[in-house]
């Protein structure tokens, strides 16, 4: 306990009594210089501050610009109203149904296969007056059958009378319009071959 008391008194003398008298050059330099650990910490802080002000490297900027370019190329058509994906999907549905009707007519040679539009928002494929199962659906009685409804906002035009396919896959010439909110797409059917394509 005595030793501790002696040290505290010595510390008191150094701190408080040294202030009262004028310091010498040696004590002045000791009191004003920070300890070595503080010097290292101060240098480290100064170097970190310099890094904060430096900015971005060229590589970082190029990577960000490339990523923004990819994002804009993917997202801009959707937000700019140039997408029209529902019209494209509806057009593919109609072409697929036309080809399906043609395949049914060529595989069932004694049947009458027709492609029609019972309303402006539906397509129908019938075999001998009965709606056919959807492509990929289970056999009749156990799965989905035509007529197939178009997506919301899509109407069809140009199928005034049913297109009847013969056993060779031929039908009559037709132009079918897929009308959406953004644009109108057309499908042409070549009568002699039954081929449906975008026109």
């Amino acid at each position: 306990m005595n030793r501790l008391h002696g040290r505290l008194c010595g510390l008191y003398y150094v701190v408080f009594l040294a202030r009262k008298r004028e310091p010498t050059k040696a004590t002045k330099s000791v009191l004003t210089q920070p300890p070595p650990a503080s010097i290292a910490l101060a240098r480290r802080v100064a170097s970190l501050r310099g890094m904060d002000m430096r900015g971005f490297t060229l590589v970082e900027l190029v990577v960000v610009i490339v990523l923004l370019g990819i994002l804009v190329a993917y997202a801009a058509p959707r937000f700019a109203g140039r997408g029209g994906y529902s019209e494209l999907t509806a057009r593919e549905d109609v072409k697929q149904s036309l080809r399906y009707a043609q395949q049914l007519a060529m595989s069932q040679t004694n049947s009458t296969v027709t492609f029609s539009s019972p309303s402006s928002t539906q397509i129908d494929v019938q075999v001998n007056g009965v709606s056919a199962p959807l492509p990929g659906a289970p056999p009749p009685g156990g799965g989905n059958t035509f007529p197939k409804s178009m997506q919301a906002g899509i109407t069809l035009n140009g199928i005034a009378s049913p297109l009847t396919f013969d056993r060779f896959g031929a039908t009559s010439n037709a132009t079918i319009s897929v009308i959406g909110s953004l644009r109108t797409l057309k499908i042409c059917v070549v009568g002699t071959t039954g081929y449906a394509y975008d026109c």
Side-chain angles (χ1 to χ4, degrees), residues 181-195:
S181 59
L182 296 176
R183 58 183 166 177
T184 300
L185 303 174
K186 294 191 178 199
I187 301 167
C188 294
V189 181
V190 179
T192 54
T193 60
Y195 177 66

Side-chain angles (χ1 to χ4, degrees), residues 102 105-106 164-172 190-195:
Q102 182 184 35
M106 293 187 322
T164 303
F165 288 88
D166 64 14
R167 62 188 181 132
F168 300 110
T171 186
S172 54
V190 179
T192 54
T193 60
Y195 177 66

Side-chain angles (χ1 to χ4, degrees), residues 39-58:
I39 293 173
L41 181 62
R43 287 181 182 160
R44 177 77 176 138
V45 170
S47 69
L48 288 176
R49 283 186 185 156
M51 288 177 66
D52 287 342
M53 304 300 244
R54 199 176 70 195
F56 297 106
T57 64
L58 183 61

